[in-house]
Amino acid sequence: MSLVSGNLIVPTILWGRRAPSHRACCVRCLPDGQTILTGTVDGQIIIWRLDNGLLKPKYMLFGHSRPISCLCPTGVDSLTTRFVSTSDDGKMCLWESVDGRCIDSVTTVNVHRYIYAHPLRSSAILTQLRLFCVGDYPEIIVMDPQDLTVLFTLSSRVEPDWVS
């Protein structure tokens, strides 16, 4: 089902009392402790909400065509609502969990397997969050969670396989 407005097509997924079954290959919680993300081998992401002890589906997101390899919140505090997803073809998406929209996406040659959101204090007041990514490549890639740009990499010239 799609809602059409001018040139904009908004895909809408509806399901009954139970969400469609899917083969989850990736699970992650947002820092609020109430929002759970599952990624599937078909490339979909479901945002679940914990409501009175019951897990209820909120959104099914379509942005990947390959299995989801990693999910990660873009913050460490309980107000964080954004997260990133990556798939086996190197595609990375930035999502807003409140309304299920894709904010940005990039495709790289790197397949990320784990992403860790870490705050870096650049002064006594200013703290910036960075995404530390590891995967099917020999370095650690550090990214900006707001625009998915690579800021720098951590690597070794002496020992190329130092991460493993």
Side-chain angles (χ1 to χ4, degrees), residues 86-133:
T86 62
S87 56
D88 283 351
D89 58 357
K91 186 172 183 181
M92 184 177 217
C93 296
L94 174 63
W95 301 92
E96 174 57 61
S97 68
V98 173
D99 57 11
R101 73 188 151 93
C102 182
I103 298 166
D104 199 2
S105 69
V106 296
T107 302
T108 68
V109 296
N110 299 316
V111 177
H112 305 297
R113 298 293 176 191
Y114 184 77
I115 299 175
Y116 179 74
H118 183 72
L120 295 177
R121 186 164 294 188
S122 58
S123 69
I125 300 170
L126 184 62
T127 300
Q128 297 177 339
L129 193 85
R130 297 293 180 241
L131 301 176
F132 287 78
C133 310

Side-chain angles (χ1 to χ4, degrees), residues 63-79:
H64 297 279
S65 57
R66 302 275 306 175
I68 303 297
S69 59
C70 183
L71 296 165
C72 180
T74 61
V76 294
D77 64 3
S78 62
L79 299 177

Side-chain angles (χ1 to χ4, degrees), residues 18-30:
R18 298 177 62 154
S21 62
H22 66 288
R23 295 184 315 169
C25 58
C26 195
V27 178
R28 196 73 181 260
C29 294
L30 290 185

